[in-house]
Amino acid sequence: MRKLKVAAFYPHPDDMEAQVAGTLLKYVEQGHEVHVVIAMDGRRGRGILPDQISWPEVVELRKKEAIAGSKYLNVTPTFLGIEDHRLVEDRSCYEIVITEMENLNPDIIFTCAPNDYHNDHRALSRLVLNVAWTPVFFSDTKAGVDFNPGFYVNITQQMPTKLKMLGEHSSQLQEQSVEALQVLNRFRGIQCSKSEIIYAEAFKLYKRANWVKAYELLPDDAFIPPVQIVP
């Protein structure tokens, strides 16, 4: 397989780590080119931070955390700088997203599911679809709610590093959230029905003409297509 240019478009700092980090790590290990794009500035994601911290301080802190998390992929994320809760399908946001898409010109794209729990996730998903001309894979929703996977990537070997990447987001890190993510990835691993697959990330392909074999672009050992549970 030729080397691919992989683009991960995610809304907030820490979303990439939670939803697709294991798969991106696998791409990097297999020699592909990975890019991370973070749409929002993170100002409203205060997590466990005290109330007196100003929003510019929150933005700077979350940017530093995102850079630290992406270093495990040997990449520096691109920040689009859109204010949290202000991502809408208007001309301004469209231009920001499509300009970055044109700059990258990726072979494959990962983003949030269009029915995910957060309005920023849903809005970015729609914008990415509207500007993409290559296959788009939706990553799992939070807690797997209303998500019926079509494809799975074995991230058993990558899971420890994924958790380290998530751990870089100390301003957001909550024990129950990490536990929920581990349970979800374990559940997806069980769905693969292979004893050697302990953890997996699950995806759905946005189906369009000419993309029917897009699953061949997913990373897997020896580039064998991943387990296809739902055709």
Side-chain angles (χ1 to χ4, degrees), residues 1-6 23-34 108 152-154 194 213-227:
M1 175 183 283
R2 68 183 177 87
K3 300 306 179 184
L4 301 173
K5 182 182 286 188
V6 181
T23 298
L24 297 184
L25 285 164
K26 205 161 193 176
Y27 274 121
V28 171
E29 292 167 6
Q30 295 178 356
H32 299 290
E33 181 180 338
V34 170
I108 183 171
Y152 299 76
V153 174
N154 178 10
K194 288 189 175 182
K213 296 184 69 177
Y215 61 83
E216 293 182 341
L217 300 176
L218 289 173
D220 200 70
D221 299 322
F223 295 111
I224 298 172
V227 177

Side-chain angles (χ1 to χ4, degrees), residues 12-137:
H12 309 105
D14 80 1
D15 285 329
M16 175 276 289
E17 287 84 349
Q19 297 191 15
V20 76
T23 298
L24 297 184
L25 285 164
K26 205 161 193 176
Y27 274 121
V28 171
E29 292 167 6
Q30 295 178 356
H32 299 290
E33 181 180 338
V34 170
H35 296 267
V36 174
V37 180
I38 300 173
M40 321 303 292
D41 63 13
R43 70 178 66 190
R44 289 183 172 83
R46 289 181 170 269
I48 58 176
L49 295 172
D51 293 338
Q52 62 266 29
I53 293 182
S54 67
W55 72 257
E57 292 176 304
V58 175
V59 169
E60 185 60 26
L61 174 59
R62 300 208 64 196
K63 184 176 182 180
K64 289 179 179 178
E65 291 176 342
I67 291 172
S70 294
K71 281 185 178 179
Y72 292 83
L73 300 169
N74 297 318
V75 302
T76 299
T78 298
F79 298 93
L80 301 186
I82 303 170
E83 183 179 344
D84 283 7
H85 298 182
R86 299 299 185 271
L87 182 65
V88 294
E89 293 176 85
D90 64 2
R91 181 61 182 265
S92 175
C93 291
Y94 183 92
E95 289 293 341
I96 291 172
V97 176
I98 197 173
T99 297
E100 186 58 30
M101 190 72 73
E102 290 173 340
N103 288 339
L104 290 177
N105 192 25
D107 297 299
I108 183 171
I109 300 160
F110 291 87
T111 195
C112 298
N115 65 326
D116 208 357
Y117 79 108
H118 196 293
N119 61 305
D120 286 341
H121 293 218
R122 298 189 298 271
L124 181 63
S125 181
R126 292 191 297 268
L127 280 171
V128 168
L129 280 182
N130 287 338
V131 305
W133 51 87
T134 50
V136 176
F137 281 91

Side-chain angles (χ1 to χ4, degrees), residues 143-185:
V145 173
D146 197 24
F147 191 83
N148 186 22
F151 305 96
Y152 299 76
V153 174
N154 178 10
I155 63 162
T156 303
Q157 298 300 318
Q158 292 75 26
M159 191 66 182
T161 304
K162 173 175 177 167
L163 292 176
K164 290 179 182 178
M165 293 170 68
L166 196 62
E168 296 291 350
H169 296 267
S170 57
S171 70
Q172 300 294 297
L173 202 61
Q174 297 183 21
E175 185 176 347
Q176 62 267 32
S177 298
V178 176
E179 181 182 6
L181 179 62
Q182 288 179 286
V183 169
L184 178 61
N185 289 155

